[in-house]
Amino acid sequence: MPLVVVLAALVLLRNSAFKNKKGDSTHSDRLSPEDLAKAVQQLYVDEPDGSRSLLVPFRGRVSKVKIQPTPATTFAADAAHFPQVHPSHKPNVDKVFLRQLSAILRIAFPSLTSKEALIVVLHSFFLILRTVLSVGVAKLDGRIVRDLVSGNGPGFLRGLGWWFAFAIPSTYTNSMLRHLQSKLALRLRTRLTRYTHDLYLSSSPSLRYYRITQPGGLEGVDQYMTSDIAAFCDSLSALYGNVMKPTLDLFIFTAQLSRTLGFRGTVLLFANYYLTVKILRAVTPAFGRLAAVEAMLEGEYRTGMNRIGRESEEVAFYNGGARERSILWMAYSRLVRHIDSIYKLRIAYEWTEDFVIKYLWSAAGYCLISIPVLITRTRTVGVQVPPTSDALDNAVADRTENYISSRRLLLSLADAGGRLMYAYKDVLELAGYTTRLYTLLSTLHSLPTSIPFSSSPDTVALKDVDIVVPSLSSDSDDEHYTNGYGKTRFDTILVRDLSFELKVGRGEHLMITGTNGVGKTAIARVIAGLWAGSGPDAEVTRPPLGSGDVFVIPQRAYMVAGTLLDQVIYPHSFSQFLQSGKSEADLLEILKAAHLAYLPEREGGWATRKEWRDILSGGEKQRMGLARVFYHRPKFALLDECTSAVSSDVEGAMYEHAKSLGITLITISLRPTLAKYHTHLLTLYGDGDNSWTCTRVGTAEERMELDREIVDLETKLASVGEWEARVKELDKLLSTPTVVQ
């Protein structure tokens, strides 16, 4: 009866532990379809304390799930615990592994009062309870057999009653252990996923999601943040039970057996433990390294599949299906060969493991059980008195009871030892997953968190700035200076000593032009704050990062997952749209200016959800980019070839509308027709000196620049005849048959 009361109390404790705290999830009355659609559109609500409440529709109601973002101070404090490990380090059970695991556990278990810690406490309680029940069942098993051998019917029936009484808490305990293990894995995954999402998807100026793809970052981040986190949490939660339960069994069962086996039996028992550990350690492969390599190969294969899905149209234009198939098959073949090699390594290991655990331990168990019967049993000295029949029966019954109980405990002990030996393999695999996850977190923490620049709300200016491709070259002596990414090589300069200045209110607009590959987009990255301005006397001036005063539209238009309304207001959310005071009528006027007013009617309204990347044409996606400029109305709009698929008349109308909104334009384009919408023309030459010129549009200087370009082109055209003659000579030489001597 007391046991039933304890179990009932645990059920109540479990329910209170796993339910969300009051205020975390609230349910309102049933909502109308319009209100539900609005909740789906809104997605979350900003709370006064800085947290967000996710709106989750379910069965006509909306649940609010409170999400507390990880503060920047936490990231700053955690960075000291995630120093980068040398690339040559291989996953193994050593001090490095323990340090890495400790750093990750700081995130997974933020405090002793967290839900994760409470789950571990409950899990530990049920593990201890199962061990205690196992000892009780072993003793009860011996008592039932004793009563059966001695012919004690009432005792036998009483033992069966206790047997079924033990069955209830035993089965419940086993179910709870599986449930708590799964719950712990899910909680750990949620905790680590939220942390890595907050760290990875950091806003300006950190932008880790961008900088991790630069030199010195990581490839296949999606594999790290999805499969690797899940594998780590599953492995860690399973390992806790697989280590703690056998360890408890070893101590408790050994203590129980030592009473029966005596000193000799206990010494032999520990000798058996030592011999088993030595044998299995000698034949255990490097499962940690194998698991890390397998995760890496899985990431390569997954990245290849994602690439084809992302670039399916481009692959189809080139008819590159066969080529992509061969690339994918190569990645898959590497993965399969590695997994097959793991299976082959496991043959010898599992053969030895089964032999030691099943047969060696069983033989040792028989020998140990025989000790109290054949060696340490009490012998009578002196006059031998013939035993009575009842005494003989009791002696046989007692001996049978001791044998059955010891046998049951030894079988459980062998099972515990086997699971503990198996757990060593799990520890090695956990070391591999830990290395992968630690690599992700340490790389994210080590990325630069800011790009140096001078803040000015109304100015974009570059002074003596070298536009340099970020690259790490710590092993080179040919270093020039340091930027936000580390040591930068001298030979990566695209544009040297670039200087210009634009101020709001002057009606100034800059057009950047030049041949392909000369660094036009690189200038845009420096202005946007993605790259650092380099040079001994370099100075970059721009509005504060994250203020929205500099809005960049790239050539390749990005369509966010969501509704048609979300495409116009991106990167704003629906909540920010409501706070701005704008209406759908205002958005329609914006689409009219972008020549997209037909979209709401054609696509079924503002709340329509589609795969807009595939629905909209190339020109429509680029015009949607300009619609975002009209919606946000930044002080500076940096347009990087964002109208290359738009006709000249529509392009001109949108440029005029942007200028009428008071937006200062910085355009990167090769179209000469766009020069008339700007006041300054920055031309990059891409020559050996990385030179450039900045002229005012419509001046004699600009006309001289154009005349010089015309003369240069005419000079090249005059040499066409010589090139054609040379081509004919080369064709003639190549077509001459080879004389075989």
Side-chain angles (χ1 to χ4, degrees):
M1 190 55 129
L3 186 59
V4 175
V5 174
V6 171
L7 291 176
L10 288 174
V11 172
L12 295 176
L13 180 61
R14 170 183 170 272
N15 291 335
S16 64
F18 295 135
K19 284 182 179 179
N20 289 328
K21 294 180 180 179
K22 185 178 180 180
D24 286 357
S25 180
T26 58
H27 299 272
S28 61
D29 296 333
R30 289 187 176 274
L31 303 177
S32 64
E34 294 77 11
D35 292 334
L36 284 175
K38 183 178 180 181
V40 172
Q41 174 73 57
Q42 187 170 359
L43 188 59
Y44 65 85
V45 176
D46 291 318
E47 301 293 347
D49 60 353
S51 63
R52 289 181 175 179
S53 295
L54 296 181
L55 304 179
V56 183
F58 181 70
R59 293 183 179 179
R61 295 182 175 88
V62 174
S63 297
K64 290 185 178 182
V65 181
K66 192 172 183 179
I67 302 297
Q68 188 71 42
T70 307
T73 54
T74 301
F75 293 141
D78 291 345
H81 299 280
F82 288 92
Q84 288 190 293
V85 179
H86 196 275
S88 62
H89 171 72
K90 302 299 182 183
N92 202 355
V93 181
D94 51 16
K95 292 182 180 180
V96 177
F97 161 67
L98 295 177
R99 180 174 58 81
Q100 293 177 348
L101 182 61
S102 175
I104 297 174
L105 291 181
R106 286 173 53 87
I107 302 172
F109 297 92
S111 67
L112 296 177
T113 59
S114 62
K115 292 182 179 180
E116 294 80 6
L118 180 58
I119 294 175
V120 172
V121 172
L122 287 174
H123 196 198
S124 303
F125 173 81
F126 279 102
L127 286 173
I128 297 172
L129 180 60
R130 191 172 75 169
T131 301
V132 173
L133 290 173
S134 298
V135 174
V137 169
K139 292 182 177 180
L140 181 60
D141 195 11
R143 178 60 61 89
I144 291 175
V145 175
R146 179 186 185 281
D147 292 335
L148 184 61
V149 171
S150 61
N152 184 359
F156 175 74
L157 294 177
R158 188 166 50 251
L160 285 181
W162 278 107
W163 182 269
F164 286 109
F166 269 99
I168 296 175
S170 297
T171 53
Y172 178 79
T173 299
N174 292 332
S175 300
M176 283 302 300
L177 285 174
R178 289 190 293 268
H179 172 73
L180 290 172
Q181 178 177 318
S182 302
K183 191 72 175 180
L184 178 61
L186 187 59
R187 288 291 309 181
L188 292 177
R189 183 178 181 181
T190 301
R191 178 78 66 178
L192 291 173
T193 299
R194 286 181 180 175
Y195 184 91
T196 52
H197 281 184
D198 291 343
L199 183 62
Y200 175 67
L201 296 171
S202 55
S203 57
S204 296
S206 297
L207 302 177
R208 293 182 177 90
Y209 59 88
Y210 171 79
R211 295 192 169 90
I212 199 171
T213 62
Q214 303 302 308
L218 284 179
E219 294 183 0
V221 179
D222 55 341
Q223 174 74 14
Y224 283 91
M225 298 190 66
T226 54
S227 299
D228 289 346
I229 290 180
F232 171 83
C233 295
D234 291 339
S235 178
L236 181 62
S237 60
L239 182 65
Y240 177 73
N242 293 340
V243 171
M244 183 176 178
K245 176 60 170 64
T247 303
L248 287 173
D249 290 348
L250 284 175
F251 281 108
I252 295 177
F253 293 160
T254 301
Q256 291 292 325
L257 283 171
S258 62
R259 301 176 182 177
T260 306
L261 300 179
F263 176 76
R264 298 177 187 176
T266 305
V267 171
L268 292 176
L269 190 61
F270 281 101
N272 184 44
Y273 296 161
Y274 178 77
L275 181 62
T276 302
V277 171
K278 293 294 290 185
I279 294 174
L280 293 183
R281 283 188 65 102
V283 299
T284 301
F287 286 112
R289 302 179 189 178
L290 295 174
V293 174
E294 181 181 353
M296 181 190 68
L297 295 178
E298 286 277 7
E300 292 180 359
Y301 178 63
R302 180 173 181 166
T303 301
M305 293 295 298
N306 292 338
R307 184 185 65 250
I308 294 175
R310 185 176 61 251
E311 310 291 346
S312 58
E313 183 173 340
E314 288 78 1
V315 173
F317 280 143
Y318 285 108
N319 192 23
R323 173 61 177 155
E324 295 297 331
R325 181 179 58 196
S326 63
I327 296 174
L328 271 183
W329 184 251
M330 182 180 299
Y332 179 74
S333 299
R334 292 179 60 195
L335 174 62
V336 169
R337 285 196 298 269
H338 178 73
I339 296 177
D340 186 61
S341 66
I342 295 177
Y343 291 157
K344 292 178 180 178
L345 289 173
R346 284 180 175 175
I347 293 176
Y349 173 75
E350 292 178 353
W351 177 85
T352 307
E353 191 177 46
D354 288 343
F355 177 80
V356 171
I357 300 302
K358 291 183 179 180
Y359 297 99
L360 182 61
W361 275 59
S362 296
Y366 283 117
C367 295
L368 292 172
I369 291 174
S370 66
I371 291 175
V373 178
L374 302 177
I375 300 176
T376 62
R377 67 180 182 181
T378 304
R379 299 180 182 274
T380 304
V381 181
V383 180
Q384 299 294 324
V385 179
T388 63
S389 177
D390 292 340
L392 182 60
D393 290 341
N394 290 333
V396 172
D398 291 339
R399 190 175 297 173
T400 302
E401 179 183 2
N402 291 333
Y403 172 79
I404 295 298
S405 298
S406 300
R407 173 67 176 167
R408 187 67 178 254
L409 288 174
L410 278 170
L411 289 176
S412 300
L413 191 62
D415 179 67
R419 285 186 285 116
L420 198 59
M421 296 303 106
Y422 294 148
Y424 181 69
K425 177 183 65 178
D426 297 336
V427 172
L428 291 175
E429 292 183 353
L430 177 64
Y433 297 135
T434 301
T435 299
R436 293 274 297 178
L437 182 55
Y438 183 89
T439 300
L440 170 66
L441 293 173
S442 62
T443 303
L444 289 173
H445 277 295
S446 64
L447 293 174
T449 57
S450 64
I451 297 296
F453 69 95
S454 300
S455 180
S456 176
D458 300 323
T459 304
V460 168
L462 273 66
K463 180 181 179 182
D464 299 329
V465 174
D466 290 345
I467 307 300
V468 182
V469 178
S471 60
L472 296 179
S473 57
S474 57
D475 58 344
S476 173
D477 294 332
D478 185 17
E479 296 168 350
H480 187 46
Y481 37 72
T482 302
N483 66 8
Y485 294 98
K487 298 296 182 180
T488 307
R489 291 183 60 88
F490 182 88
D491 57 4
T492 57
I493 295 179
L494 299 176
V495 184
R496 189 185 300 276
D497 295 333
L498 179 62
S499 298
F500 66 83
E501 182 182 79
L502 293 174
K503 283 186 175 292
V504 175
R506 294 182 180 178
E508 298 176 332
H509 307 279
L510 176 67
M511 178 175 174
I512 304 174
T513 188
T515 57
N516 292 327
V518 296
K520 301 187 298 296
T521 302
I523 297 176
R525 295 185 181 118
V526 172
I527 297 175
L530 303 184
W531 289 7
S534 302
D537 301 319
E539 184 178 354
V540 178
T541 304
R542 54 150 293 158
L545 294 173
S547 63
D549 291 336
V550 176
F551 201 83
V552 183
I553 303 297
Q555 180 179 9
R556 185 174 179 177
Y558 171 70
M559 298 291 108
V560 65
T563 63
L564 178 61
L565 185 145
D566 291 327
Q567 309 311 310
V568 181
I569 67 175
Y570 186 78
H572 276 185
S573 64
F574 187 74
S575 297
Q576 292 172 310
F577 167 69
L578 296 178
Q579 294 172 4
S580 68
K582 293 185 174 64
S583 63
E584 293 182 356
D586 298 326
L587 297 184
L588 186 60
E589 291 298 322
I590 290 174
L591 289 187
K592 287 181 181 179
H595 295 260
L596 293 173
Y598 56 87
L599 280 183
E601 182 178 358
R602 188 188 79 179
E603 301 300 337
W606 292 103
T608 303
R609 291 178 176 270
K610 294 183 178 180
E611 190 62 47
W612 300 106
R613 181 187 62 183
D614 301 327
I615 295 298
L616 302 181
S617 66
E620 288 175 335
K621 286 187 283 190
Q622 288 193 340
R623 280 179 278 160
M624 184 63 73
L626 268 298
R628 293 170 181 171
V629 174
F630 303 154
Y631 170 81
H632 290 282
R633 293 193 180 188
K635 294 180 179 179
F636 297 90
L638 207 163
L639 312 177
D640 185 4
E641 295 280 2
C642 66
T643 56
S644 58
V646 180
S647 61
S648 298
D649 56 337
V650 174
E651 180 184 56
M654 290 191 297
Y655 267 80
E656 290 292 353
H657 182 71
K659 293 171 66 176
S660 68
L661 296 176
I663 302 173
T664 299
L665 303 177
I666 304 175
T667 302
I668 297 174
S669 179
L670 294 175
R671 287 187 175 183
T673 55
L674 290 178
K676 60 184 177 182
Y677 303 107
H678 301 79
T679 58
H680 293 79
L681 181 65
L682 175 62
T683 305
L684 309 180
Y685 295 107
D687 51 18
D689 296 330
N690 309 112
S691 60
W692 55 274
T693 59
C694 187
T695 58
R696 190 168 183 85
V697 175
T699 62
E701 183 181 2
E702 183 208 4
R703 288 193 295 270
M704 290 178 60
E705 186 66 29
L706 294 176
D707 291 340
R708 187 178 72 171
E709 186 175 355
I710 292 174
V711 170
D712 183 57
L713 292 175
E714 290 177 347
T715 303
K716 292 180 179 179
L717 290 174
S719 304
V720 170
E722 299 178 5
W723 295 344
E724 291 178 346
R726 180 56 180 165
V727 169
K728 292 180 180 179
E729 292 179 5
L730 293 175
D731 288 340
K732 185 176 180 181
L733 292 173
L734 293 174
S735 61
T736 302
T738 303
V739 179
V740 180
Q741 297 181 352

